[in-house]
Each structure stands twice: as structure tokens, then as C-alpha cells.
Amino acid sequence: MAAPALSADATQMATYLSALTQPDTNLIRQAEVALKPILKKPECVPAMIEVVKAQTAQDEGTRHVAAIVLRKRISGHMTKFDVPTKTALKAELLSVLQTENSRPVRNGVVALVAAICKHEAEETTDAAQAAAGWPELFQFVAAAAGDAHPEARELAFLLLGEMTETVGIHLKPQFATLSSLFAAGLVDSDPKVQNSAVKALGLLMSYLADEEEIDTFAPLVQPVLTVAEACRARHDEEVVSTTLDVLYDLSFSPSPSIAAHMGTIIQFAQLCMSDSNLEMAVRDSAALVVATMAESKPKHLGRDTALLTGIVETIFNLIETSDGSAAGALFESNPAWKEDFEDQEGYEAEENGITETGMAQGTLDMLACEIPKKYIFEPVVSRCMARLGSADPNQRKAGIACLGVIAEGCAEPLRENLAQVMPHVFKTAGDSDARVRECACFALGQISEHCQPEVLSYSSQILPIVFALLDDSNIAVQATSCYVLEMFCERLEPEGVRPLLDPLVRKLAAMLEATSKRSVQEMTVAALAATAVAAEEEFAPYVVGVASLMSKLMELKDEKTYSLRGRALECMGHIAIAVGKDHFRPYFSPTMQCACEGLTYDSTDLHEFAYAAFANLAKVMGDEFAPVLAELVPHLVTVIGQEEGQFEHAEEEQGGQFSGLDDSDNEDEGGNLVMHIRTALLETKKGGITAVGEMAAHTGAAFVPYMGEVMTVLLKAADNWHPLIKTEVADAMASLVVPCVAQDHNGTLSWEKGDISGPSPLSANTTQAVNVIMKALVTMMKDDTKEVVGKACEGIQSIIELCGPHALSPVANDCLENTYALLAKEAPCQQLEAYGEEFGDEDDDHDAFMTSVCDLVGSFGRVMGPHFVQYLPKFLPAICAYAKSSRPPSDRSMAIGCLGELAQELGSGIADHWTTVFYPAAIAGLADSDDSVKRNSAFCIGVSCEGLGESITSQYAEMLQALSPLFGVDISEGDTAAACVDNASAAVARMITSSPAHVPMAQVLPVMLKALPLKNDMTENETVYNCLFGLLQQNQPDLAANKLELSRVFGEAASEASKVDDELKEKLKLALQSLN
């Protein structure tokens, strides 16, 4: 029997729809224009359904397009139909699904049915009625799922997948039934049905990941993984990829029932990561699942030793077996590096921007950063050490590379174990294999960047090794050596770099002139800049030669060389910081000219480098920078005020070439728009904020005329959505007070600790600026990003220490409450930490931003004085929680340091808490294994004795006994060890000064004198030497008995090489004369 002929409307419709399938843009546009008025009429719906059903009269493409276009328009027409018409329409579509043989057409009708189902459900506010809006559809799904034909069973899950949102919102009462239906689909005998069930269930589980209803479907995680594993084995990447996307969404679920499957989820992801038959994008998705689990369930994962070590072993194996450079993570974002080295041996070609090595290293980096260090450090480092002793260069490469990767996340335990680790690093730097040497440079650079200041004690070994590597036959090793220099020298003191300064500068300059590879040039320039910063004024003799090299680079105009030009400009800024205003003055104008010229180029990179140069030059040149403010500040205000988001046309979905036919009232206005973020502009804005902050901080009263517009734009930026911008705003805010102080108070303010009853020392202008800025910073303390909160605390501390208690008073209550919330881990930025984890804080690592919070507490004592004593009962328990022995060393050191500052500032105000808090915490700290904790405990003991006087002399004997072992600390182990001995000496000096009668001088003075002069903590010089001066004036007999040793101490402290300040040196010389 012949198929019935199409109606006239359907025939016309088919003609236009067929035109949409043609490879002719003009024909498609003409058809869209002709269709628009027709599609506004409800009669178009039956016409298009006729076309969809015309299996013999119309080709597959036309019928598929008919289903797509009808889906786009159906919602607008459904409300115009009466109930019988709707019922008939829905029945007809279900009939089409039963009989349609074409997969594309059937998929199009599935989407159409889902759109109608969603519309029907959303039309009513009654949840029960919404769920029952189309009962025949759900009966159809249930029947299809149990059908004998696999095509029907597959269709059931296709429908459920398309209806995910509707099911997730309106069918919750039927979830148990749906769970059984999905369970059957996952064990179906036909792989296509299984795959369809996985996709549909995956969409629903992703949708429900944060909802409590996810628990209903959690038991299906294992069957889903079983299907996905079968697909992986037969190389069906689509289902594997879909499953990994679902697992990523589930990683963030707080549900314990999902967390229970963490082991099997990660094991499946591991298999995918290691499967070289899968596309790199799929393998990288698997790595993302592992990394995300580490981020969201760090304690769960850390405590599962077998699972964690399995992941770590997988990562090491991937790095071992891949051909690429394991140091390449340094340069992945540098186009010059890729261009220079893609023809080199060992260069690993990227697939969609992903390399096997990069995937493995990125995952390990996340594990190191997120998992508690007590769990992740040992399994990684033990594997590093084992592989470094291997005869296989691939194993040595993996061992040293992974050590470098974990340097950031595991910085604290790595700093504590440098003595065991560094010999291995030094050995690999001389390895016979170039890839191992390159990775050794990478590791050295990472350790130099993240293990400060402890790593500086290895300068005499590191610098010669790196100097030799600059001559390496492998270009990549040379470039990576420059990176080490850049990282290592940034915080090195002049005496550290002095022995190699001349040959180092000459070598880098020669490399810069000899190489044609831009990546090496860029890293050489960065190394020169860092060397200058380390050398400080000792770099002055090299300024002329280096500036000459930089001036050539700063004239580069080829777009490919913009980054090198920017690096040269950055180098000049660092040289300015190093040698100071007088030495740099001849180069100020040309450097500024280059920076300003860079702003005329369409390059956000050059703009960033320019703003960094402005920041550094303002810092160095001070008031001499003021004349350019009129030109630069308005420009910076404009940059900071720009919107980094912009509306662009949305990317088109399937059938999106027909977006002009969407059901929309603004059909002729250009389609849907979505917000796109210009990330490059974020970095530019950040640079602009930094620059304007430094200008405010260093150009004095000259900045006052710009205060209004800068304050306005920064306050707006404080509400920016991105933490990068808010962090920089918080950092810059405090600087805006400085110009007011410069203009109205000659640069300094005198204020009394705790005095808010008298007249404020602040001028009206300063008061207004302080009030606005403090209010903004106190608000930022409640931000949900830790870095923002840390900078806000630092800004508040800076302002109140500059301006005194009148600056704090208007916001004191809120500021104190916010600070306590942070100490108690109740602040917004701390609320996601235990997401889905029931463990307490015993596994927590040190949070760097908490150091800023504790510093602010110390500042409260300094500014509020006795007024802060009333808050001690509330604050002290929260502070002491960080001093527990289960906490990491940085936490313990931070807490004891905070107690020491409070003891110093509050004096006798701590008396009520001495026996219960300060004394036991300090005594325990003196016995700590960490030198930093010991030094802070010694300081706390000393200032407490100073503040509490005779009231605690009965405990002197116990305190001296606890201090005694500190004098045996080996100062050659580094700066912290030396500071530990220095603080012990200062504590004893304070005890002697406070109550000499209670110190057994004959036993104490020889030990103390032997430890002098101070080696590291120069701030304690006055305390120690004033104590000795006092005893000398009293002709204290035990000191007189040690005259020779005292003469040695005074002589060394007064020498030209000593770091004692000049005024104290003169006193020491006079005292030395009296001894002789």
C-alpha cells in the first residue's frame, strides 16, 4: 500500500526543510527567511510531523531536520493547542518512535519528545501533576525497557537521557523504580543497550551529584564502571569518556555513599591513564578524576595507603616510559620553547595540548598540594630515592622529576629533609644522561623556589653546579639552568652570590649574545635579573653592560619577540631594585619610554610587563616618579575599570546552523549571547592594580590628587568575581593611606598604644581614607578565597600599625569577630574544607594565609594594648589549637610566635593566662623537634619574663633548663638553626635583665657568651648587648671572670663585617676599650 501523499502545507514545508540540508549558504538563508513566518503559525506543527513520518517520500536528512526545527518551535505552540490536539500530537510522536527505522530521525524525535515533556512538566506548579503530565510517555519508556528487541530497550534509555532535567526535578518519587530500570539496562545482553543506559544514568547522576537523592543511584556506580571497563577493553572511547565525565562530577559529591566507591573509581581512572590505546584527551580526563578526588576527598584518599601508593606508582611509570622531557612542565605555556625544541631529541609532541608526561606530572602536583603531607610525602620521596639509584636513566629521570613536581605541595616536609635530599639532586645534576640533568635542573629550580629560606644554606654547592650546567652541551639543560638561577637568586643575600658574581654575569651575558633560541634568551634575561636582585648594590659595576644588552632587546618589534622584549624591560626593573635610585637614574627615562611604548602595542603581555616596570620603578625612584603620575594614573584607572567579560554569540549546538529558526521573540537580533571571559585582561588588570598600589606607596603627597578616582575603581574591583583581582586589590588598598600621611603628617604618625580616649592624631582627609579602606578590607576578610583574606589581614595590619588605634576603633568589633572566626576555622573561606569528609583537623596541613591572621592578632596587641586583654579568653584557645603536637611544624611555630608577640605587647596583661597557656605552650615548644618552634618558644619565654617580672621568678630554673639544649643546636644546619640559638641567648638576656638574682650567672654566662655574637636574628642585638653592658657597669663578678670571652664577643660584634647597626657598634667599641 502506497504511503499517503503529503498535504500542501507539508509539501511546502518539505521543500524549505530540504533546502536547509544543502551545502549552499545562500539557499539555506533563503529557506530560513521563507520559514520564519510559517513557523510562527501553529499549523506548522502537523505539517512538520507529516514530513518526519514520510519515510518513503522524503530523504532521511530532510526528516531529521524537520524533527530538529520542530523541537526548536514546539514550546511556543503547545500552549495554543487544546487538550485533545495535544493528546493526539503526543500519541502520534510515540507512534513514530515505535516505527522509525532511521537512527538520526529517531534521535531527533527523542529530543522533540523530551522537549514536550519538559514543557508539560513546567506548565504546572503542582509537583505531583507535573510528574503525571504525560503518563503515556513513562508507560512507553517502561514497556520499551522491557521489550525483547534491543533497539526498543536502547530507545528507552535514549529518552531518559534526553529528559534528564525533567526526570531530576519532577520524577523524584519514581527514583527507586528508575534505579531498578537502569540496573537492568547496565547488565543487558546487548552492548548498545548497556552503553545507552550508562549515558542516560550518567547524565542523571551528574545532575543529582550534590543532591541527597544521589544515594538512590550510588549502588549503580560499580555496574557503570563494569560497563565502562568492558568498553575500554574493546576501545569504545565514547562510553569511557562519558563515564569519566560523570565520575568527575561525582568526585565533588558530599554523599558518603558515593565516597564509598572512591577506590574503584580511582582504580578505573588509573587504568585509563595508563592505556596508550586511548586518546590523550580521554586519558587526561581520567587524570582529572584522580586529581579531583584528591582535591575533594584528600583525607579519605590519604588514609587509603594501598590506593594512594597505587596512583603514585602509576604516575612514576608513566613518566618513566614516556619519551618526553619531564622538565617540560616549565615551558608548556611558552610558545618560544615549543618552537625552539620541537626538533630536539626527547621532545614529546602534544596531542590537543596534552602530553603523557604533562598529564602525569599535573596529577602528581595536585596530589602533593591537596593530600595531607603526612600521607603523600613518604610514598613519593621513597620512590624518588629508589629510582635515583637505578642504572636505568628513565627511572632516574622519573625520580628526580617527581621530586621537583612535589616541591610546591610538599614544601614543608621537603624543607625539613633537605639534608637527605640535596645530595641526590646534586648527583643527578652531573648525570651522563641529558634528560636526567635537565630534570635535575627542574628539581633544583622548584626546590629553590619553594624551599626558602632553608635552601639558601646550599648556595656554595648549588651555584657552582648551575654555573657548570650553563655550559652543558644540551640546550634544554642550559635553559633550565637559567630557571634555577632565577628561582635561587631571588632571595639570596649578596654574600651568597658574591663568589661567583663576576663569572656568572659574564657567562649569562655571553649566552644571551650567542644563542638564537628565544626561549634560552628569555630565561637568560630572567636569570640576569635575579642575579642583580641577589647582588644588590654589588651589581652596580655591571649595570652599564647589562643595560646595553637590554636596550637592544627592548627595541624588538616583531610580535614573536614581545615576550623577550618584556623580559628585558622586567630585567631593568629588577636592576633598579638592586642598585637603587642613584645608580639607576641614567636608565630611568629610557626604561619608562620602552614601557610606555609597549602600551601602544596590541599585546597584553607587553602591557603586563609595562605595569610591572612601573611598579618597580615607582618603588625605587620615589618622588622622582611623581611627574609621570598625571599620564599613567588615568590610564591605569581605565585598565582596572575595564570589564574582563564580554558578550559573544553562543556556540551552536547540533542543528545550530538553523539558530535563526529558534522559538524566540528576538529572532532578528542576532541569536543567543553568552558571556566570555578574557583571561589575559585579568592578568593585565592585576598588573595595573599592583602598579597603582606601588605608586601610592612611594610617590608621597604627589599621589593625593588621584586618590578619589583610584579609590573608586579599587572599591569596585574589590567586588570582582575573580580571586586574582580581589587579592591584588586587598594588597594595594593599604597603600592608599600613605599619600595622606605624607601630605598631612609629614610621612609619620605618632600614636599611643590603646589610647582612643584622647583626640585622634589623624587629619580629616586621612580619617576619611582610613575609614573607607578599613571598611572594605574588613569586608574582604569574609571572602571565600583564602588568598584574598590573607591579603586583607595584611592590609589591616599595615594600616593600624601606621595610624594607630583610632584607625581600628570604628571597625574593631567586626574586625575582631572576623579574626576569631578565622582562627576557629568558621570563616567562609574555610567552609568547604571538610566537604564530604568526616575527619577532624589532625590531618590538616599548614595554611599559609593563617600566618597573616596570626600576625594581625599580634598587631591587635601592639595597637590596642590593654584593651585586647579582655579578648584573650576567647582568642587563646583558638590560637593554641594550632600548637598541638599533631599539627605541622609551621602551625606550631605560627601559634607560639603569636603567643610571643602577645606576651611582648601586653606585658603583665597575660598574667592570668601565664600558668595555663603561655608557660606550658612555651616549655613544650622548647622541646619541639622543629628549630622554628624552638626559636619562637625561646622568644616567648624571654618577653614573658620581661613583662611579668618578679611574679614568675620561681619558674626561672625550669625555664633555664628547658632553654639549655637550644645552645647545642648545630648552627651550620641553616638560618633557622642559627636563629634558634640567637633567640635562646636573647631569652636568657631578658631573664637576667628582669631578675638577675634568680639567674645562676656562673653557669649561664659562659654558655651564653660562647653562642655570641648573634648569627642570624639581628633584631635581638640590642637586647643581648644592653644586658651585657648593664652587667659590665655593675662589675658583675661572673662576667668579669669571663673577660677574655666577652672581649672576643664585643670585638667580633663591632667589626666591619658585623651586621650590628652602627650606633650599637660604637657602644661596643667603647665597652671593649674599658675591658682592655
Side-chain angles (χ1 to χ4, degrees), residues 389-406:
S390 170
D392 182 354
N394 286 323
Q395 289 208 347
R396 298 198 302 275
K397 174 192 77 170
I400 192 64
C402 290
L403 193 62
V405 170
I406 67 164

Side-chain angles (χ1 to χ4, degrees), residues 661-714:
L661 303 179
D662 281 344
D663 188 5
S664 173
D665 291 333
N666 58 343
E667 291 169 336
D668 301 317
E669 295 179 11
N672 296 326
L673 297 176
V674 294
M675 175 72 81
H676 282 267
I677 303 300
R678 294 171 288 173
T679 51
L681 184 54
L682 281 171
E683 290 289 347
T684 306
K685 287 178 71 166
K686 174 179 176 289
I689 294 167
T690 305
V692 85
E694 293 296 348
M695 291 175 193
H698 298 285
T699 57
F703 196 85
V704 170
Y706 311 101
M707 287 280 292
E709 56 184 321
V710 171
M711 186 94 73
T712 300
V713 78
L714 287 186

Side-chain angles (χ1 to χ4, degrees), residues 857-868:
V857 174
S859 187
F860 290 153
R862 201 150 34 252
V863 174
M864 295 173 67
H867 293 292
F868 190 65

Side-chain angles (χ1 to χ4, degrees), residues 37-59:
I38 298 173
L39 293 176
K40 290 181 180 180
K41 301 174 183 178
E43 291 79 12
C44 72
V45 175
M48 280 191 279
I49 289 180
E50 274 193 73
V51 176
V52 170
K53 291 169 61 180
Q55 294 189 24
T56 56
Q58 297 295 324
D59 63 81

Side-chain angles (χ1 to χ4, degrees), residues 172-195:
K172 290 181 180 181
Q174 281 77 44
F175 275 2
T177 303
L178 282 173
S179 179
S180 299
L181 191 148
F182 280 123
L186 292 171
V187 295
D188 196 281
S189 59
D190 191 288
K192 286 183 180 179
V193 179
Q194 287 186 351
N195 294 358

Side-chain angles (χ1 to χ4, degrees), residues 33-351:
V33 170
L35 277 169
K36 276 186 179 182
I38 298 173
L39 293 176
K40 290 181 180 180
K41 301 174 183 178
E43 291 79 12
C44 72
V45 175
M48 280 191 279
I49 289 180
E50 274 193 73
V51 176
V52 170
K53 291 169 61 180
Q55 294 189 24
T56 56
Q58 297 295 324
D59 63 81
E60 180 182 75
T62 301
R63 295 192 302 118
H64 183 214
V65 169
I68 291 172
V69 174
L70 183 51
R71 175 178 59 82
K72 289 173 176 287
R73 305 299 302 207
I74 193 67
S75 295
H77 292 306
M78 286 296 287
T79 54
K80 302 170 187 174
F81 296 144
D82 57 25
V83 172
T85 304
K86 286 183 183 180
T87 303
L89 169 65
K90 292 188 287 188
E92 194 161 15
L93 288 173
L94 293 181
S95 174
V96 170
L97 286 177
Q98 286 181 308
T99 58
E100 182 56 60
N101 296 318
S102 164
R103 182 172 285 268
V105 177
R106 187 169 69 242
N107 289 345
V109 177
V110 164
L112 171 58
V113 166
I116 294 173
C117 182
K118 181 181 179 183
H119 176 269
E120 293 286 274
E122 290 175 349
E123 278 295 289
T124 177
T125 56
D126 185 303
Q129 191 176 339
W134 191 354
E136 298 84 2
L137 171 59
F138 298 107
Q139 292 165 10
F140 179 89
V141 169
D147 197 285
H149 295 90
E151 292 82 6
R153 300 197 299 275
E154 181 187 15
L155 175 62
F157 293 112
L158 287 174
L159 278 164
L160 286 172
E162 281 289 342
M163 295 189 297
T164 296
E165 185 178 351
T166 306
V167 170
I169 296 173
H170 300 291
L171 257 68
K172 290 181 180 181
Q174 281 77 44
F175 275 2
T177 303
L178 282 173
S179 179
S180 299
L181 191 148
F182 280 123
L186 292 171
V187 295
D188 196 281
S189 59
D190 191 288
K192 286 183 180 179
V193 179
Q194 287 186 351
N195 294 358
S196 186
V198 165
K199 292 175 186 177
L201 176 58
L203 288 168
L204 184 58
M205 292 178 85
S206 292
Y207 187 82
L208 297 171
D210 291 334
E211 307 291 333
E212 61 182 30
E213 288 82 7
I214 189 65
D215 290 344
T216 304
F217 300 98
L220 300 180
V221 169
Q222 185 57 60
V224 166
L225 291 174
T226 301
V227 175
E229 173 53 24
C231 290
R232 185 190 69 82
R234 64 172 181 264
H235 311 308
D236 182 349
E237 292 198 354
E238 184 184 1
V239 174
V240 175
S241 181
T242 298
T243 303
L244 290 169
D245 289 344
V246 175
L247 297 179
Y248 169 78
D249 291 332
L250 293 180
S251 298
F252 291 107
S253 174
S255 167
S257 56
I258 294 294
H261 293 283
M262 181 184 70
T264 50
I265 288 172
I266 286 179
Q267 286 164 1
F268 173 70
Q270 275 180 255
L271 287 170
C272 294
M273 286 174 67
S274 303
D275 190 343
S276 58
N277 292 315
L278 294 175
E279 296 285 337
M280 271 309 305
V282 179
R283 297 171 69 188
D284 193 53
S285 293
L288 184 61
V289 170
V290 174
T292 308
M293 276 291 188
E295 181 183 7
S296 62
K297 307 283 189 295
K299 296 174 187 177
H300 272 93
L301 182 50
R303 290 178 176 221
D304 192 331
T305 304
L307 187 61
L308 181 59
T309 53
I311 300 168
V312 171
E313 191 66 31
T314 295
I315 288 169
F316 272 84
N317 291 338
L318 282 167
I319 295 174
E320 280 173 28
T321 55
S322 65
D323 295 329
S325 162
L330 281 176
F331 315 107
E332 284 177 356
S333 61
N334 188 338
W337 177 264
K338 296 174 186 176
E339 186 177 305
D340 289 342
F341 293 97
E342 60 188 352
D343 59 342
Q344 297 280 314
E345 181 184 353
Y347 181 85
E348 186 179 8
E350 294 184 356
E351 182 184 315

